[in-house]
Amino acid sequence: MWHQQRRTHRLLRQLEFDLPMPLTVQALVAALEAVRHRRIQFVAMSVEQTGPCGLWVATGETDYVLYGRDSPPILRLQTILHELMHIALRHAGHAALSWGTGQVAGLDDTPTQVVLARSTSAFGEQQEHDAELLATYLGARLDGGDQVGAFEDLADATAAVMYRIAAVLAE
């Protein structure tokens, strides 16, 4: 327990921004967008029981946080916070589904820089553990509920890309 508290505080000091007060997902996203000068967009996706329950996809201008459309609300929130912590901690390409810099197979000419997936099978890896630790810490301190979007809320071209990413993950 003491080790995890120390680790949590060490990770919080690594963040390049102060935690907003009151702490909400929207305020956390706004702080991340401001420090990274990039948009963050939430996208609901259909997920398989054995597949990842969340995903962070970084493109040239936008970070997409994908989460399970049919997941229980508490799991959706945990997944979103987990992926946001990957972004906040500037994690890169060593998680369960990482293609690194380049292109994800099946996405035509859509360049992706980071693809990290939240999967319980990867929690042994340090980046996954750290993202989950901070997500749990922040989730316990959130002020109120938050809303997230779905594929249908995206522009047609972006929605098509997100559907192809989800299809690749389901294979």
Side-chain angles (χ1 to χ4, degrees), residues 22-124:
L23 181 61
T24 64
V25 172
Q26 285 92 353
L28 186 60
V29 167
L32 273 169
E33 287 177 332
V35 75
R36 290 176 47 84
H37 307 288
R38 297 170 53 80
R39 286 184 51 223
I40 296 174
Q41 194 159 354
F42 297 114
V43 181
M45 67 176 185
S46 297
V47 295
E48 298 292 322
Q49 289 277 24
T50 58
C53 51
L55 185 68
W56 164 34
V57 178
T59 64
E61 305 85 37
T62 305
D63 290 311
Y64 292 95
V65 172
L66 287 76
Y67 62 93
R69 174 188 322 276
D70 299 321
S71 298
I74 191 71
L75 178 58
R76 274 195 312 260
L77 179 60
Q78 182 70 15
T79 300
I80 288 167
L81 289 171
H82 176 98
E83 300 307 332
L84 289 174
M85 290 305 95
H86 276 308
I87 296 168
L89 294 168
R90 297 190 179 269
H91 286 167
H94 298 301
L97 291 174
S98 173
W99 288 277
T101 301
Q103 299 208 358
V104 177
L107 294 184
D108 302 328
D109 293 328
T110 306
T112 58
Q113 291 141 354
V114 178
V115 179
L116 290 173
R118 180 179 189 269
S119 169
T120 55
S121 65
F123 284 165

